[in-house]
Amino acid sequence: MTLLAVAEAGRGILVPDAPVLHADDEGVLRGRAVFETIRVYAGRPFRLEAHLDRLAASAARLGLPPVDRDSLALAVEEALAASGEPDAVLRLLWTPGREGQGPPTGLALVSTLPRGHEEQRRHGIRLAVVPWAPGALIAGAKSTSYAENMAAQDEAGRRDADDALFVGPDGIVLEAPTSNVWWREDRRLLTPSLELPILAGVTRAALLEFVHDLGYGVEEGRFPLTRLLVAHEVFLTSSIREVMPVVAVDGRPIGDGVPGQAAESLQRALRAAAGYPAET
Ligand code: PLP
């Protein structure tokens, strides 16, 4: 991704190449800050309000100063206009400032979309199971302490996979380092419950709104990995990857080993909800 534009809440557009944070910013020193990643479709951020809600909730959970939503929403508009890029990644950062003594800094960053997702969607991706025992604080909050998530993705890469699948010590399926996970058993879709230590994905919530219209039942719960491994299909969901089919886990094919029907129809439905045509 390439950074195209940055705006700071209360300050407006900044030079993308210039440093913005102090060296003793609490977010930099201790990873004590929160962020959001949002897909921009044809100039419109998808479900911005839901992302601002989650940013505010994450900030509260970490004990950060309350998010200044209005200034941040204005910074979003400024950064999007300055970027000149209708299809982009929008990231929000809220950090408490110098050694937590403030003032807090809110940033809106607009970057190019990562390459290769449409290609991956056509072929499906492979996952590697990584044992995961998240701390209670980190689990449901989108904090900048993502080093463990990134390390899990690196481990998956070393094991010839495209991403990790987090499974708890009790064998219960959780999520992926930057996505929620779903699978299909005939006409039924299953996804881990939000009572588990996972992030409440905005894409997950959007899909739950239209799965029934597509003719699928849905069950949220605590499911063992053994159940996922024999599913008819598996897919991940996140703001930037959208609906991404999974064709193998730990080298074993899922279903027929090709992208599945539910992932395809949900991807179309997601794009339709965003008022944006699906790639064909
Ligand atoms: N789970 C984790 C750990 C994430 O970091 C993310 C997004 O970054 C998701 C799930 C998916 O959330 P969303 O659909 O809001 O992008």
Side-chain angles (χ1 to χ4, degrees), residues 61-82:
R61 193 144 167 178
L62 266 66
L64 307 186
V67 170
D68 182 347
R69 290 177 75 115
D70 292 345
S71 310
L72 209 44
L74 188 60
V76 165
E77 276 177 36
E78 291 166 335
L80 284 174

Side-chain angles (χ1 to χ4, degrees), residues 35-37 51 54 139 142 146 149 166 175-180 198-204 237-240:
F35 76 110
E36 284 295 321
T37 306
H51 284 281
R54 191 170 65 189
K142 206 161 160 59
Y146 256 41
N149 301 48
F166 290 155
E175 61 181 343
T178 61
S179 313
N180 291 112
I198 63 171
L199 192 76
V202 172
T203 320
R204 179 188 183 282
T237 59
S238 78
S239 298
I240 304 306

Side-chain angles (χ1 to χ4, degrees), residues 176-199:
T178 61
S179 313
N180 291 112
V181 63
W182 302 65
W183 60 99
R184 178 174 65 81
E185 298 176 357
D186 293 316
R187 299 298 295 174
R188 208 162 178 74
L189 300 176
L190 289 84
T191 192
S193 158
L194 295 184
E195 285 168 14
L196 290 163
I198 63 171
L199 192 76

